[in-house]
Amino acid sequence: MNFDIGYMFDIFPRILQYLPIVLYMGTLSFVLAVIVGLIFAVIINAKVPVLYQLLRVIISYFRGVPTLIQIFIFYFGLPQLFPSLSSIQAITAVIIALSIKNAAYLSEVFRSAFLAVDKSQFEACEAVNMTKWQGLRTVILPQVFRVAIPATGNYYIMMIKETSLAFTIGVVDMLARAKLESAVTYKFLEAYLAVGLIYWAITVVLAFLQSKLEKYMERPYLKEATKS
Amino acid sequence: MIKIQNLHKSYGNTAILKGIDVEVKDGEVLAIIGPSGSGKSTLLRCLNFLEKAEKGIIEIDGAKVNVEQYTKADVVQLRSKTGMVFQNYNLFKNKNALHNVSEPLRLTKKMPKKQAEQVAYDLLAEVGLKGKELNYPVALSGGQQQRVGIARALALNPYVVLFDEPTSSLDPELVEEVLNVMKDVMKQGRTMIVVTHEMEFAKEVADRVIFMADGYIVEQGTPEELFTNPQNERTKRFLKNYLTLHN
Ligand SMILES: Nc1ncnc2c1ncn2[C@@H]1O[C@H](COP(=O)(O)OP(=O)(O)OP(=O)(O)O)[C@@H](O)[C@H]1O
Ligand SMILES: [Mg+2]
């Protein structure tokens, strides 16, 4: 057998140096995707004329195009249209592509979560003179998030993994580092398996945190829950 | 006092309220009865602008609004004069009983948290929910939820409490506890408008009963007048139906 396990452990730290850039790309795109997805969901649920139809098309487009192609369009294609973007950074292109694509998916998650929350509570907010924003913020949105958290968490995990596409346009991330390492030693299996294991570990940790958060958010809806 | 003049409301082309005139005196308890779909809920909901009427004048405790030319401030003022108790309680599901009552105080009256919670503790005790303050709505029975709903409405110290069939979602054995709390509210001299199917309660508690049908007030009077000696044919038929259904 030709597997150098010692080598694999040796390069872990070197690959892990690039963990921050992976988390940065994944997390920033995720936050942007949540914000944009929420805005999309509100527009769609309110059926804002024109914007609504336009959004349906945009969402359909971003769901239909493979992520890698989308990244290429933003990175190589946009500077052609807007020369001022010629210096668009690879990382920026990845973040834009990932956030818009996932906003399209998340808008659907949020839209149905909004529908799942009993709106009669909002009337109660109005009857006690809360402003629309106060009602949304203190009563409706927390319940929307509770419904949406399982699916949203899964998108976060997926997005972290999708950032590995960044390497195709020259971002030096964990995958790029592993490729560099193995190009010198020809120990491909060890290097790529090391990256794979790191991604796996990340998803396990995130999934654990997600289930903790879900439990926390469920508290008000469990019969035995009586703490404030 | 409350003075509603010529109130009109329609949904699309369907007229629901076709010119309602009502007066309610300070501390009076007004019961509204009538067949399903006659516009009872709509009338209540127009008073606090959960629905916007097309025409008419609403005056509650000095706040006078012509619904054809209202401002945001008018809506806020009417809502500050009214508390509402809903058929399905409409409690905030993500808040415990205490915060269901204290949060509106904190948000709309800018009351400090501690003080708002003290008010909430006191009110929950008044409606018989001492010890249930930290329960979330799912951990409360229907009757308990509705009593939280009443405490929430009272917390803002409104001029009038609007009850929209407060007991009709409840299991029969839970109706009594809610009606008793409502009697306590009455004894404190609070003005109340109660849409109800509980004729016995209306008889016992109401100062005046209004019978509504097809968007009009068909007949009104004291409970004795209306229940024992109705003048209008519609009223007679409605009460007869009711009696055959409930005996
Ligand atoms: N949002 C709405 N859109 C269209 N029609 C409505 C709406 N709300 C109520 N209606 C209609 O208005 C009429 C009066 O409704 P309302 O709820 O005021 O009746 P109600 O007297 O309270 O009846 P119930 O005893 O069944 O509660 C009904 O025919 C109802 O279908
Ligand atoms: Mg009704």
PDB file of all heavy atoms in Angstrom, chain A residues 118 120-121 123-124 126 128-129 134 138 142-143 220-221 223 226-228, chain B residues 45 76 79-80 90-91 93-96 107-108 134 136 138-139 152 156:
ATOM      1  N   ASP A 118     -48.739  32.268  11.955  1.00  0.00           N
ATOM      2  CA  ASP A 118     -50.123  32.686  12.103  1.00  0.00           C
ATOM      3  C   ASP A 118     -50.228  34.218  12.158  1.00  0.00           C
ATOM      4  O   ASP A 118     -49.795  34.848  13.109  1.00  0.00           O
ATOM      5  CB  ASP A 118     -50.642  32.050  13.401  1.00  0.00           C
ATOM      6  CG  ASP A 118     -52.055  32.451  13.702  1.00  0.00           C
ATOM      7  OD1 ASP A 118     -52.682  33.088  12.838  1.00  0.00           O
ATOM      8  OD2 ASP A 118     -52.526  32.129  14.797  1.00  0.00           O
ATOM      9  N   SER A 120     -52.708  36.178  12.577  1.00  0.00           N
ATOM     10  CA  SER A 120     -53.636  36.833  13.490  1.00  0.00           C
ATOM     11  C   SER A 120     -52.859  37.483  14.645  1.00  0.00           C
ATOM     12  O   SER A 120     -53.323  38.433  15.251  1.00  0.00           O
ATOM     13  CB  SER A 120     -54.647  35.830  14.021  1.00  0.00           C
ATOM     14  OG  SER A 120     -53.981  34.786  14.697  1.00  0.00           O
ATOM     15  N   GLN A 121     -51.655  36.982  14.906  1.00  0.00           N
ATOM     16  CA  GLN A 121     -50.822  37.599  15.949  1.00  0.00           C
ATOM     17  C   GLN A 121     -50.438  39.024  15.571  1.00  0.00           C
ATOM     18  O   GLN A 121     -50.231  39.872  16.425  1.00  0.00           O
ATOM     19  CB  GLN A 121     -49.530  36.799  16.148  1.00  0.00           C
ATOM     20  CG  GLN A 121     -49.762  35.401  16.625  1.00  0.00           C
ATOM     21  CD  GLN A 121     -48.472  34.614  16.633  1.00  0.00           C
ATOM     22  OE1 GLN A 121     -47.608  34.838  17.470  1.00  0.00           O
ATOM     23  NE2 GLN A 121     -48.327  33.712  15.694  1.00  0.00           N
ATOM     24  N   GLU A 123     -52.321  41.078  13.924  1.00  0.00           N
ATOM     25  CA  GLU A 123     -53.466  41.940  14.252  1.00  0.00           C
ATOM     26  C   GLU A 123     -53.449  42.300  15.730  1.00  0.00           C
ATOM     27  O   GLU A 123     -53.774  43.420  16.107  1.00  0.00           O
ATOM     28  CB  GLU A 123     -54.769  41.204  13.944  1.00  0.00           C
ATOM     29  CG  GLU A 123     -54.971  40.975  12.473  1.00  0.00           C
ATOM     30  CD  GLU A 123     -56.410  40.638  12.159  1.00  0.00           C
ATOM     31  OE1 GLU A 123     -57.078  40.049  13.026  1.00  0.00           O
ATOM     32  OE2 GLU A 123     -56.840  40.976  11.052  1.00  0.00           O
ATOM     33  N   ALA A 124     -53.068  41.320  16.558  1.00  0.00           N
ATOM     34  CA  ALA A 124     -52.988  41.606  17.991  1.00  0.00           C
ATOM     35  C   ALA A 124     -51.935  42.686  18.243  1.00  0.00           C
ATOM     36  O   ALA A 124     -52.129  43.564  19.080  1.00  0.00           O
ATOM     37  CB  ALA A 124     -52.666  40.342  18.771  1.00  0.00           C
ATOM     38  N   GLU A 126     -51.132  45.079  16.186  1.00  0.00           N
ATOM     39  CA  GLU A 126     -51.705  46.351  15.764  1.00  0.00           C
ATOM     40  C   GLU A 126     -52.719  46.849  16.782  1.00  0.00           C
ATOM     41  O   GLU A 126     -52.772  48.036  17.092  1.00  0.00           O
ATOM     42  CB  GLU A 126     -52.375  46.191  14.404  1.00  0.00           C
ATOM     43  CG  GLU A 126     -51.395  45.888  13.288  1.00  0.00           C
ATOM     44  CD  GLU A 126     -52.006  46.135  11.918  1.00  0.00           C
ATOM     45  OE1 GLU A 126     -52.924  45.386  11.565  1.00  0.00           O
ATOM     46  OE2 GLU A 126     -51.569  47.075  11.238  1.00  0.00           O
ATOM     47  N   VAL A 128     -52.757  46.488  19.930  1.00  0.00           N
ATOM     48  CA  VAL A 128     -52.139  47.093  21.118  1.00  0.00           C
ATOM     49  C   VAL A 128     -51.246  48.269  20.732  1.00  0.00           C
ATOM     50  O   VAL A 128     -50.425  48.731  21.523  1.00  0.00           O
ATOM     51  CB  VAL A 128     -51.321  46.092  21.971  1.00  0.00           C
ATOM     52  CG1 VAL A 128     -52.224  45.028  22.563  1.00  0.00           C
ATOM     53  CG2 VAL A 128     -50.194  45.467  21.165  1.00  0.00           C
ATOM     54  N   ASN A 129     -51.392  48.708  19.474  1.00  0.00           N
ATOM     55  CA  ASN A 129     -50.727  49.946  19.041  1.00  0.00           C
ATOM     56  C   ASN A 129     -49.241  49.798  18.730  1.00  0.00           C
ATOM     57  O   ASN A 129     -48.521  50.793  18.662  1.00  0.00           O
ATOM     58  CB  ASN A 129     -50.907  51.043  20.086  1.00  0.00           C
ATOM     59  CG  ASN A 129     -51.620  52.250  19.488  1.00  0.00           C
ATOM     60  OD1 ASN A 129     -51.604  52.433  18.276  1.00  0.00           O
ATOM     61  ND2 ASN A 129     -52.237  53.054  20.330  1.00  0.00           N
ATOM     62  N   GLN A 134     -42.427  47.135  14.846  1.00  0.00           N
ATOM     63  CA  GLN A 134     -42.350  46.502  16.175  1.00  0.00           C
ATOM     64  C   GLN A 134     -42.992  45.126  16.157  1.00  0.00           C
ATOM     65  O   GLN A 134     -42.458  44.176  16.722  1.00  0.00           O
ATOM     66  CB  GLN A 134     -43.046  47.374  17.220  1.00  0.00           C
ATOM     67  CG  GLN A 134     -42.242  48.608  17.629  1.00  0.00           C
ATOM     68  CD  GLN A 134     -43.026  49.513  18.573  1.00  0.00           C
ATOM     69  OE1 GLN A 134     -44.258  49.567  18.535  1.00  0.00           O
ATOM     70  NE2 GLN A 134     -42.312  50.246  19.409  1.00  0.00           N
ATOM     71  N   THR A 138     -40.645  41.895  16.931  1.00  0.00           N
ATOM     72  CA  THR A 138     -40.751  41.184  18.210  1.00  0.00           C
ATOM     73  C   THR A 138     -41.620  39.935  18.146  1.00  0.00           C
ATOM     74  O   THR A 138     -41.466  39.053  18.969  1.00  0.00           O
ATOM     75  CB  THR A 138     -41.313  42.096  19.325  1.00  0.00           C
ATOM     76  OG1 THR A 138     -42.605  42.537  18.936  1.00  0.00           O
ATOM     77  CG2 THR A 138     -40.428  43.291  19.566  1.00  0.00           C
ATOM     78  N   PRO A 142     -39.180  36.523  14.699  1.00  0.00           N
ATOM     79  CA  PRO A 142     -38.606  35.416  15.477  1.00  0.00           C
ATOM     80  C   PRO A 142     -39.248  34.070  15.125  1.00  0.00           C
ATOM     81  O   PRO A 142     -38.574  33.043  15.105  1.00  0.00           O
ATOM     82  CB  PRO A 142     -38.909  35.801  16.927  1.00  0.00           C
ATOM     83  CG  PRO A 142     -39.052  37.278  16.913  1.00  0.00           C
ATOM     84  CD  PRO A 142     -39.640  37.621  15.568  1.00  0.00           C
ATOM     85  N   GLN A 143     -40.550  34.092  14.828  1.00  0.00           N
ATOM     86  CA  GLN A 143     -41.215  32.838  14.478  1.00  0.00           C
ATOM     87  C   GLN A 143     -40.878  32.396  13.060  1.00  0.00           C
ATOM     88  O   GLN A 143     -40.776  31.207  12.777  1.00  0.00           O
ATOM     89  CB  GLN A 143     -42.728  32.991  14.660  1.00  0.00           C
ATOM     90  CG  GLN A 143     -43.083  33.227  16.120  1.00  0.00           C
ATOM     91  CD  GLN A 143     -44.575  33.373  16.331  1.00  0.00           C
ATOM     92  OE1 GLN A 143     -45.351  32.486  16.015  1.00  0.00           O
ATOM     93  NE2 GLN A 143     -44.989  34.514  16.880  1.00  0.00           N
ATOM     94  N   PRO A 220     -40.032  27.934  23.235  1.00  0.00           N
ATOM     95  CA  PRO A 220     -41.368  28.459  23.520  1.00  0.00           C
ATOM     96  C   PRO A 220     -42.482  27.560  23.022  1.00  0.00           C
ATOM     97  O   PRO A 220     -43.626  27.733  23.400  1.00  0.00           O
ATOM     98  CB  PRO A 220     -41.396  29.775  22.745  1.00  0.00           C
ATOM     99  CG  PRO A 220     -39.981  30.125  22.505  1.00  0.00           C
ATOM    100  CD  PRO A 220     -39.244  28.823  22.400  1.00  0.00           C
ATOM    101  N   TYR A 221     -42.162  26.592  22.161  1.00  0.00           N
ATOM    102  CA  TYR A 221     -43.225  25.835  21.531  1.00  0.00           C
ATOM    103  C   TYR A 221     -43.337  24.430  22.109  1.00  0.00           C
ATOM    104  O   TYR A 221     -44.105  23.622  21.638  1.00  0.00           O
ATOM    105  CB  TYR A 221     -42.969  25.792  20.013  1.00  0.00           C
ATOM    106  CG  TYR A 221     -42.672  27.165  19.482  1.00  0.00           C
ATOM    107  CD1 TYR A 221     -41.366  27.638  19.424  1.00  0.00           C
ATOM    108  CD2 TYR A 221     -43.708  28.028  19.117  1.00  0.00           C
ATOM    109  CE1 TYR A 221     -41.096  28.921  18.984  1.00  0.00           C
ATOM    110  CE2 TYR A 221     -43.446  29.301  18.690  1.00  0.00           C
ATOM    111  CZ  TYR A 221     -42.138  29.753  18.622  1.00  0.00           C
ATOM    112  OH  TYR A 221     -41.875  31.020  18.208  1.00  0.00           O
ATOM    113  N   LYS A 223     -44.258  21.982  25.282  1.00  0.00           N
ATOM    114  CA  LYS A 223     -45.177  22.059  26.411  1.00  0.00           C
ATOM    115  C   LYS A 223     -44.457  22.257  27.748  1.00  0.00           C
ATOM    116  O   LYS A 223     -44.913  22.993  28.597  1.00  0.00           O
ATOM    117  CB  LYS A 223     -46.004  20.782  26.486  1.00  0.00           C
ATOM    118  CG  LYS A 223     -46.963  20.648  25.352  1.00  0.00           C
ATOM    119  CD  LYS A 223     -48.381  20.836  25.831  1.00  0.00           C
ATOM    120  CE  LYS A 223     -49.326  20.759  24.640  1.00  0.00           C
ATOM    121  NZ  LYS A 223     -50.458  21.616  24.730  1.00  0.00           N
ATOM    122  N   THR A 226     -41.054  26.264  30.396  1.00  0.00           N
ATOM    123  CA  THR A 226     -41.715  27.299  31.170  1.00  0.00           C
ATOM    124  C   THR A 226     -40.762  28.404  31.585  1.00  0.00           C
ATOM    125  O   THR A 226     -41.144  29.341  32.259  1.00  0.00           O
ATOM    126  CB  THR A 226     -42.367  26.708  32.439  1.00  0.00           C
ATOM    127  OG1 THR A 226     -41.371  25.983  33.144  1.00  0.00           O
ATOM    128  CG2 THR A 226     -43.520  25.802  32.098  1.00  0.00           C
ATOM    129  N   LYS A 227     -39.509  28.298  31.204  1.00  0.00           N
ATOM    130  CA  LYS A 227     -38.555  29.368  31.538  1.00  0.00           C
ATOM    131  C   LYS A 227     -38.704  30.519  30.557  1.00  0.00           C
ATOM    132  O   LYS A 227     -39.051  30.316  29.408  1.00  0.00           O
ATOM    133  CB  LYS A 227     -37.128  28.808  31.480  1.00  0.00           C
ATOM    134  CG  LYS A 227     -36.847  27.773  32.550  1.00  0.00           C
ATOM    135  CD  LYS A 227     -36.204  28.412  33.767  1.00  0.00           C
ATOM    136  CE  LYS A 227     -36.610  27.778  35.070  1.00  0.00           C
ATOM    137  NZ  LYS A 227     -36.601  26.334  35.066  1.00  0.00           N
ATOM    138  N   SER A 228     -38.446  31.745  31.020  1.00  0.00           N
ATOM    139  CA  SER A 228     -38.643  32.888  30.143  1.00  0.00           C
ATOM    140  C   SER A 228     -37.469  33.096  29.229  1.00  0.00           C
ATOM    141  O   SER A 228     -36.397  32.653  29.447  1.00  0.00           O
ATOM    142  CB  SER A 228     -38.872  34.154  30.938  1.00  0.00           C
ATOM    143  OG  SER A 228     -37.751  34.449  31.724  1.00  0.00           O
TER     144      SER A 228
ATOM    145  N   ARG B  45     -63.987  45.507  14.515  1.00  0.00           N
ATOM    146  CA  ARG B  45     -62.666  45.702  13.916  1.00  0.00           C
ATOM    147  C   ARG B  45     -62.523  47.042  13.228  1.00  0.00           C
ATOM    148  O   ARG B  45     -61.403  47.534  13.042  1.00  0.00           O
ATOM    149  CB  ARG B  45     -62.369  44.560  12.953  1.00  0.00           C
ATOM    150  CG  ARG B  45     -62.230  43.204  13.655  1.00  0.00           C
ATOM    151  CD  ARG B  45     -62.381  42.036  12.701  1.00  0.00           C
ATOM    152  NE  ARG B  45     -61.415  42.110  11.623  1.00  0.00           N
ATOM    153  CZ  ARG B  45     -60.151  41.716  11.750  1.00  0.00           C
ATOM    154  NH1 ARG B  45     -59.754  41.180  12.890  1.00  0.00           N
ATOM    155  NH2 ARG B  45     -59.303  41.827  10.770  1.00  0.00           N
ATOM    156  N   VAL B  76     -53.635  55.686  15.833  1.00  0.00           N
ATOM    157  CA  VAL B  76     -52.921  55.438  17.096  1.00  0.00           C
ATOM    158  C   VAL B  76     -53.802  55.833  18.271  1.00  0.00           C
ATOM    159  O   VAL B  76     -53.900  55.116  19.278  1.00  0.00           O
ATOM    160  CB  VAL B  76     -51.581  56.210  17.126  1.00  0.00           C
ATOM    161  CG1 VAL B  76     -50.968  56.165  18.517  1.00  0.00           C
ATOM    162  CG2 VAL B  76     -50.626  55.627  16.092  1.00  0.00           C
ATOM    163  N   ARG B  79     -56.650  53.389  18.779  1.00  0.00           N
ATOM    164  CA  ARG B  79     -56.156  52.120  19.321  1.00  0.00           C
ATOM    165  C   ARG B  79     -55.750  52.254  20.785  1.00  0.00           C
ATOM    166  O   ARG B  79     -55.798  51.274  21.540  1.00  0.00           O
ATOM    167  CB  ARG B  79     -54.981  51.607  18.479  1.00  0.00           C
ATOM    168  CG  ARG B  79     -55.463  51.042  17.149  1.00  0.00           C
ATOM    169  CD  ARG B  79     -54.349  50.524  16.288  1.00  0.00           C
ATOM    170  NE  ARG B  79     -54.904  49.995  15.045  1.00  0.00           N
ATOM    171  CZ  ARG B  79     -54.199  49.736  13.956  1.00  0.00           C
ATOM    172  NH1 ARG B  79     -52.883  49.957  13.950  1.00  0.00           N
ATOM    173  NH2 ARG B  79     -54.763  49.271  12.871  1.00  0.00           N
ATOM    174  N   SER B  80     -55.355  53.451  21.169  1.00  0.00           N
ATOM    175  CA  SER B  80     -54.982  53.619  22.575  1.00  0.00           C
ATOM    176  C   SER B  80     -56.228  53.690  23.461  1.00  0.00           C
ATOM    177  O   SER B  80     -56.147  53.484  24.666  1.00  0.00           O
ATOM    178  CB  SER B  80     -54.116  54.876  22.755  1.00  0.00           C
ATOM    179  OG  SER B  80     -54.924  56.022  22.650  1.00  0.00           O
ATOM    180  N   ASN B  90     -55.163  34.967  19.838  1.00  0.00           N
ATOM    181  CA  ASN B  90     -54.084  35.687  19.137  1.00  0.00           C
ATOM    182  C   ASN B  90     -52.947  36.081  20.067  1.00  0.00           C
ATOM    183  O   ASN B  90     -52.388  37.177  19.952  1.00  0.00           O
ATOM    184  CB  ASN B  90     -54.621  36.944  18.432  1.00  0.00           C
ATOM    185  CG  ASN B  90     -55.629  36.609  17.348  1.00  0.00           C
ATOM    186  OD1 ASN B  90     -56.089  35.482  17.267  1.00  0.00           O
ATOM    187  ND2 ASN B  90     -55.963  37.568  16.536  1.00  0.00           N
ATOM    188  N   LEU B  91     -52.585  35.206  20.977  1.00  0.00           N
ATOM    189  CA  LEU B  91     -51.421  35.504  21.822  1.00  0.00           C
ATOM    190  C   LEU B  91     -50.155  35.442  20.982  1.00  0.00           C
ATOM    191  O   LEU B  91     -50.115  34.767  19.954  1.00  0.00           O
ATOM    192  CB  LEU B  91     -51.328  34.496  22.974  1.00  0.00           C
ATOM    193  CG  LEU B  91     -52.458  34.527  23.997  1.00  0.00           C
ATOM    194  CD1 LEU B  91     -52.128  33.605  25.159  1.00  0.00           C
ATOM    195  CD2 LEU B  91     -52.724  35.941  24.489  1.00  0.00           C
ATOM    196  N   LYS B  93     -47.073  33.843  20.163  1.00  0.00           N
ATOM    197  CA  LYS B  93     -46.696  32.456  20.458  1.00  0.00           C
ATOM    198  C   LYS B  93     -45.247  32.327  20.900  1.00  0.00           C
ATOM    199  O   LYS B  93     -44.855  31.340  21.498  1.00  0.00           O
ATOM    200  CB  LYS B  93     -46.946  31.582  19.234  1.00  0.00           C
ATOM    201  CG  LYS B  93     -48.407  31.458  18.883  1.00  0.00           C
ATOM    202  CD  LYS B  93     -48.650  30.218  18.041  1.00  0.00           C
ATOM    203  CE  LYS B  93     -50.125  29.985  17.784  1.00  0.00           C
ATOM    204  NZ  LYS B  93     -50.696  30.969  16.847  1.00  0.00           N
ATOM    205  N   ASN B  94     -44.436  33.329  20.581  1.00  0.00           N
ATOM    206  CA  ASN B  94     -43.019  33.257  20.963  1.00  0.00           C
ATOM    207  C   ASN B  94     -42.739  33.950  22.294  1.00  0.00           C
ATOM    208  O   ASN B  94     -41.590  34.168  22.649  1.00  0.00           O
ATOM    209  CB  ASN B  94     -42.156  33.880  19.864  1.00  0.00           C
ATOM    210  CG  ASN B  94     -42.483  35.346  19.631  1.00  0.00           C
ATOM    211  OD1 ASN B  94     -43.626  35.762  19.806  1.00  0.00           O
ATOM    212  ND2 ASN B  94     -41.498  36.128  19.248  1.00  0.00           N
ATOM    213  N   LYS B  95     -43.811  34.327  23.009  1.00  0.00           N
ATOM    214  CA  LYS B  95     -43.622  35.003  24.293  1.00  0.00           C
ATOM    215  C   LYS B  95     -44.423  34.298  25.384  1.00  0.00           C
ATOM    216  O   LYS B  95     -45.523  33.821  25.129  1.00  0.00           O
ATOM    217  CB  LYS B  95     -44.094  36.460  24.197  1.00  0.00           C
ATOM    218  CG  LYS B  95     -43.457  37.224  23.053  1.00  0.00           C
ATOM    219  CD  LYS B  95     -42.958  38.569  23.489  1.00  0.00           C
ATOM    220  CE  LYS B  95     -42.172  39.259  22.393  1.00  0.00           C
ATOM    221  NZ  LYS B  95     -40.793  38.782  22.281  1.00  0.00           N
ATOM    222  N   ASN B  96     -43.882  34.280  26.583  1.00  0.00           N
ATOM    223  CA  ASN B  96     -44.625  33.674  27.680  1.00  0.00           C
ATOM    224  C   ASN B  96     -45.750  34.605  28.138  1.00  0.00           C
ATOM    225  O   ASN B  96     -45.871  35.738  27.646  1.00  0.00           O
ATOM    226  CB  ASN B  96     -43.685  33.288  28.833  1.00  0.00           C
ATOM    227  CG  ASN B  96     -42.956  34.482  29.415  1.00  0.00           C
ATOM    228  OD1 ASN B  96     -43.466  35.603  29.369  1.00  0.00           O
ATOM    229  ND2 ASN B  96     -41.774  34.261  29.958  1.00  0.00           N
ATOM    230  N   LEU B 107     -43.247  48.497  24.658  1.00  0.00           N
ATOM    231  CA  LEU B 107     -43.045  48.994  23.302  1.00  0.00           C
ATOM    232  C   LEU B 107     -43.890  50.218  22.988  1.00  0.00           C
ATOM    233  O   LEU B 107     -43.436  51.126  22.315  1.00  0.00           O
ATOM    234  CB  LEU B 107     -43.353  47.893  22.283  1.00  0.00           C
ATOM    235  CG  LEU B 107     -42.349  46.739  22.247  1.00  0.00           C
ATOM    236  CD1 LEU B 107     -42.879  45.598  21.403  1.00  0.00           C
ATOM    237  CD2 LEU B 107     -41.014  47.236  21.707  1.00  0.00           C
ATOM    238  N   THR B 108     -45.152  50.210  23.482  1.00  0.00           N
ATOM    239  CA  THR B 108     -46.023  51.295  23.036  1.00  0.00           C
ATOM    240  C   THR B 108     -46.172  52.394  24.084  1.00  0.00           C
ATOM    241  O   THR B 108     -46.506  53.510  23.753  1.00  0.00           O
ATOM    242  CB  THR B 108     -47.417  50.779  22.633  1.00  0.00           C
ATOM    243  OG1 THR B 108     -48.077  50.302  23.805  1.00  0.00           O
ATOM    244  CG2 THR B 108     -47.298  49.637  21.646  1.00  0.00           C
ATOM    245  N   LEU B 134     -44.730  32.270  33.540  1.00  0.00           N
ATOM    246  CA  LEU B 134     -43.639  31.928  32.633  1.00  0.00           C
ATOM    247  C   LEU B 134     -44.046  30.897  31.580  1.00  0.00           C
ATOM    248  O   LEU B 134     -43.235  30.484  30.760  1.00  0.00           O
ATOM    249  CB  LEU B 134     -42.423  31.430  33.428  1.00  0.00           C
ATOM    250  CG  LEU B 134     -41.867  32.456  34.428  1.00  0.00           C
ATOM    251  CD1 LEU B 134     -40.616  31.934  35.104  1.00  0.00           C
ATOM    252  CD2 LEU B 134     -41.599  33.785  33.747  1.00  0.00           C
ATOM    253  N   TYR B 136     -45.491  29.490  28.229  1.00  0.00           N
ATOM    254  CA  TYR B 136     -45.752  29.939  26.864  1.00  0.00           C
ATOM    255  C   TYR B 136     -47.165  29.525  26.481  1.00  0.00           C
ATOM    256  O   TYR B 136     -47.732  28.610  27.088  1.00  0.00           O
ATOM    257  CB  TYR B 136     -44.728  29.325  25.912  1.00  0.00           C
ATOM    258  CG  TYR B 136     -43.376  29.988  25.996  1.00  0.00           C
ATOM    259  CD1 TYR B 136     -42.396  29.530  26.858  1.00  0.00           C
ATOM    260  CD2 TYR B 136     -43.112  31.115  25.212  1.00  0.00           C
ATOM    261  CE1 TYR B 136     -41.163  30.156  26.939  1.00  0.00           C
ATOM    262  CE2 TYR B 136     -41.879  31.741  25.284  1.00  0.00           C
ATOM    263  CZ  TYR B 136     -40.905  31.265  26.145  1.00  0.00           C
ATOM    264  OH  TYR B 136     -39.700  31.892  26.217  1.00  0.00           O
ATOM    265  N   VAL B 138     -48.455  27.617  24.264  1.00  0.00           N
ATOM    266  CA  VAL B 138     -48.707  26.178  24.079  1.00  0.00           C
ATOM    267  C   VAL B 138     -48.892  25.448  25.385  1.00  0.00           C
ATOM    268  O   VAL B 138     -49.488  24.367  25.402  1.00  0.00           O
ATOM    269  CB  VAL B 138     -47.551  25.430  23.370  1.00  0.00           C
ATOM    270  CG1 VAL B 138     -47.639  25.581  21.880  1.00  0.00           C
ATOM    271  CG2 VAL B 138     -46.215  25.791  23.926  1.00  0.00           C
ATOM    272  N   ALA B 139     -48.366  25.990  26.470  1.00  0.00           N
ATOM    273  CA  ALA B 139     -48.463  25.297  27.756  1.00  0.00           C
ATOM    274  C   ALA B 139     -49.615  25.843  28.593  1.00  0.00           C
ATOM    275  O   ALA B 139     -49.626  25.710  29.805  1.00  0.00           O
ATOM    276  CB  ALA B 139     -47.146  25.418  28.515  1.00  0.00           C
ATOM    277  N   ARG B 152     -53.772  41.190  28.699  1.00  0.00           N
ATOM    278  CA  ARG B 152     -53.021  41.988  27.726  1.00  0.00           C
ATOM    279  C   ARG B 152     -53.826  43.215  27.299  1.00  0.00           C
ATOM    280  O   ARG B 152     -53.289  44.317  27.182  1.00  0.00           O
ATOM    281  CB  ARG B 152     -52.681  41.128  26.501  1.00  0.00           C
ATOM    282  CG  ARG B 152     -51.984  41.897  25.396  1.00  0.00           C
ATOM    283  CD  ARG B 152     -51.551  40.987  24.265  1.00  0.00           C
ATOM    284  NE  ARG B 152     -52.688  40.460  23.499  1.00  0.00           N
ATOM    285  CZ  ARG B 152     -52.586  39.589  22.503  1.00  0.00           C
ATOM    286  NH1 ARG B 152     -51.389  39.132  22.152  1.00  0.00           N
ATOM    287  NH2 ARG B 152     -53.653  39.159  21.861  1.00  0.00           N
ATOM    288  N   LEU B 156     -53.041  47.991  28.928  1.00  0.00           N
ATOM    289  CA  LEU B 156     -52.854  49.321  28.342  1.00  0.00           C
ATOM    290  C   LEU B 156     -53.921  50.296  28.825  1.00  0.00           C
ATOM    291  O   LEU B 156     -53.997  51.425  28.350  1.00  0.00           O
ATOM    292  CB  LEU B 156     -52.854  49.214  26.819  1.00  0.00           C
ATOM    293  CG  LEU B 156     -51.653  48.395  26.322  1.00  0.00           C
ATOM    294  CD1 LEU B 156     -51.949  47.715  25.000  1.00  0.00           C
ATOM    295  CD2 LEU B 156     -50.419  49.269  26.228  1.00  0.00           C
TER     296      LEU B 156
END
